Amino acid sequence: MDSSTDPAFSNSLLVRSKLREEFNISNGCIIDRNGRSWVLWSTSDLYAWWHSFEDQCQTPLGRKLMNACADQEEFLLRNDAVLPAGWFRKAARQQRCIDERWKVYGWGHFNLKNQTAQSMVYAPMLAGLALATNELLLEKRQKLEWHQISTNTVRFEIQPDATTLPHAPTPPQLPWSAELGPGFEPPAVFDDLMLGADGLLNNGESVCLFPIDAFSRLFSTCKAYSNAVSQERKSAWSTSGLNDGERSVFLMVVASMSSLVNRGERPIYIENTSSWRSLIEHYLAPFGWGKPVEIAALDSAHGVRFRLASGPTLPFLAGWLVAMWERGHGKSSKFILTPKAEEWVLEVDSRLAYN
């Protein structure tokens, strides 16, 4: 079959077109038309990162993740007036609207009537999306349980909840939060995306777009929890400008990103600052993780200084950089993170290097 007449190919072109209309890239961040930051996650990376983050937190967090995703999706649906409203609202029209949204972002398919999702996205995140959608369409709070039926199928059970809650608030302001400037061109990675049976594919790998503010909401609720970050790392990782709760969450993100990179198969070779630039342009910037404003060598053999702009991806970006430093040099890291005006300075070096 000619690719131009292949429905899957045509649908992929349509999805790419819609993504280009909605998103631009700015300093390695994928920004929607309202200035919100999104990340193109590999779903396998998402699973690996999440399980490590949950381990670092020493607390079951599945329902916290669901609620954070539900709050963010409700916030977006309400503010962007996404779903049909009013007397003319029909089930078929609602389903078409949801199909469009889930297809474009790589979330798979959510069947309202059957309350099932076909997707490779992590089940608690799907549950949050489904909960927000159901509550808006039913115009009342709901209780939701999810059941993983197979690798790519999740079933939801909803029941009315007598709780009366206000609308989801704006995302929390964390020390690294900042408004992001507009981008001027769509992310080039969109050109590689194809629509698969259960979501988006990038060179055959399952991926999904997700708003980073969902994770900001999660991090805000995790500030009160203790963590399992080793004492060696706590002593070697300095974070001036963060209070105890903010530091705890930040270290959990960095440690979990270190686990993600060290258990993966990405080839990471670092010889000098030029090596860093090519790694960042390959692994981070195309997918919305951000990129340093400036990279400079320290006086030591392997030390490096990054200037990082404030923004909601900062903990992830710092985590990627520290993890890649450790992987590239085969050494344990120490780092100093320091706020500076609207930026942060991250200095990474060997834990055994002299001060």
Side-chain angles (χ1 to χ4, degrees):
M1 180 185 292
D2 187 331
S3 62
S4 63
T5 61
D6 181 356
F9 183 78
S10 299
N11 287 334
S12 296
L13 289 179
L14 189 60
V15 166
R16 292 179 199 167
S17 177
K18 290 183 178 297
L19 287 171
R20 292 190 198 101
E21 290 174 5
E22 183 171 355
F23 296 99
N24 282 311
I25 195 133
S26 175
N27 195 37
C29 293
I30 297 174
I31 310 297
D32 69 17
R33 60 172 65 96
N34 294 302
R36 308 182 192 110
S37 183
W38 294 58
V39 167
L40 186 67
W41 276 100
S42 153
T43 56
S44 60
D45 279 354
L46 179 55
Y47 276 91
W49 170 78
W50 171 254
H51 288 303
S52 180
F53 181 79
E54 197 172 34
D55 287 345
Q56 296 295 335
C57 200
Q58 295 186 299
T59 304
L61 292 174
R63 194 152 290 273
K64 292 284 187 185
L65 178 60
M66 181 194 78
N67 289 333
C69 293
D71 281 350
Q72 184 59 25
E73 179 68 350
E74 179 191 332
F75 177 79
L76 294 177
L77 291 174
R78 286 189 186 278
N79 280 268
D80 298 346
V82 172
L83 296 178
W87 61 270
F88 55 89
R89 185 174 54 188
K90 301 292 184 181
R93 189 161 181 257
Q94 293 169 352
Q95 185 65 65
R96 284 196 301 271
C97 183
I98 294 164
D99 286 345
E100 176 85 359
R101 183 173 180 80
W102 282 53
K103 179 170 63 177
V104 168
Y105 297 147
W107 299 344
H109 176 71
F110 174 33
N111 187 307
L112 268 175
K113 182 179 179 181
N114 297 332
Q115 288 295 311
T116 57
Q118 296 287 130
S119 176
M120 295 302 293
V121 178
Y122 191 42
M125 298 170 68
L126 294 173
L129 300 173
L131 176 60
T133 304
N134 277 302
E135 289 186 332
L136 260 69
L137 294 179
L138 297 172
E139 299 180 340
K140 61 179 67 174
R141 292 297 179 191
Q142 302 289 312
K143 295 178 181 178
L144 184 143
E145 300 291 334
W146 71 87
H147 306 277
Q148 187 88 48
I149 305 303
S150 67
T151 304
N152 62 345
T153 306
V154 181
R155 187 180 74 243
F156 309 113
E157 294 181 4
I158 57 171
Q159 294 180 344
D161 187 344
T163 304
T164 301
L165 295 174
H167 293 172
T170 58
Q173 290 295 302
L174 297 168
W176 47 84
S177 298
E179 291 188 9
L180 301 176
F184 298 102
E185 59 182 6
V189 70
F190 288 171
D191 295 337
D192 299 325
L193 298 182
M194 293 294 293
L195 189 62
D198 301 315
L200 292 175
L201 301 173
N202 179 30
N203 294 318
E205 183 178 17
S206 171
V207 295
C208 66
L209 264 169
F210 221 81
I212 206 70
D213 280 336
F215 299 97
S216 297
R217 292 178 188 273
L218 173 72
F219 298 157
S220 184
T221 66
C222 291
K223 289 187 294 185
Y225 295 137
S226 59
N227 63 67
V229 178
S230 69
Q231 188 56 53
E232 290 81 5
R233 281 177 159 175
K234 289 179 182 177
S235 299
W237 292 351
S238 172
T239 54
S240 62
L242 303 181
N243 66 31
D244 289 346
E246 295 157 354
R247 169 178 163 80
S248 179
V249 169
F250 197 94
L251 295 192
M252 286 192 283
V253 177
V254 174
S256 54
M257 293 305 296
S258 179
S259 176
L260 164 64
V261 172
N262 286 327
R263 294 179 184 177
E265 299 179 354
R266 294 175 177 84
I268 296 175
Y269 306 106
I270 301 171
E271 295 181 359
N272 49 41
T273 53
S274 295
S275 303
W276 274 108
R277 292 186 180 93
S278 61
L279 287 171
I280 288 161
E281 291 300 332
H282 186 70
Y283 291 125
L284 306 187
F287 308 104
W289 297 109
K291 61 182 180 180
V293 176
E294 183 181 70
I295 307 171
L298 298 177
D299 291 337
S300 58
H302 304 298
V304 61
R305 177 189 294 113
F306 303 100
R307 276 178 52 215
L308 309 176
S310 288
T313 63
L314 181 75
F316 287 111
L317 176 57
W320 274 112
L321 295 173
V322 171
M324 290 196 299
W325 187 97
E326 291 184 335
R327 180 72 176 269
H329 293 298
K331 300 176 183 292
S332 298
S333 68
K334 67 177 180 182
F335 72 74
I336 300 172
L337 179 75
T338 309
K340 187 176 182 180
E342 295 301 312
E343 295 181 335
W344 298 75
V345 175
L346 177 69
E347 296 184 348
V348 189
D349 208 340
S350 170
R351 200 172 297 175
L352 300 179
Y354 291 107
N355 292 324

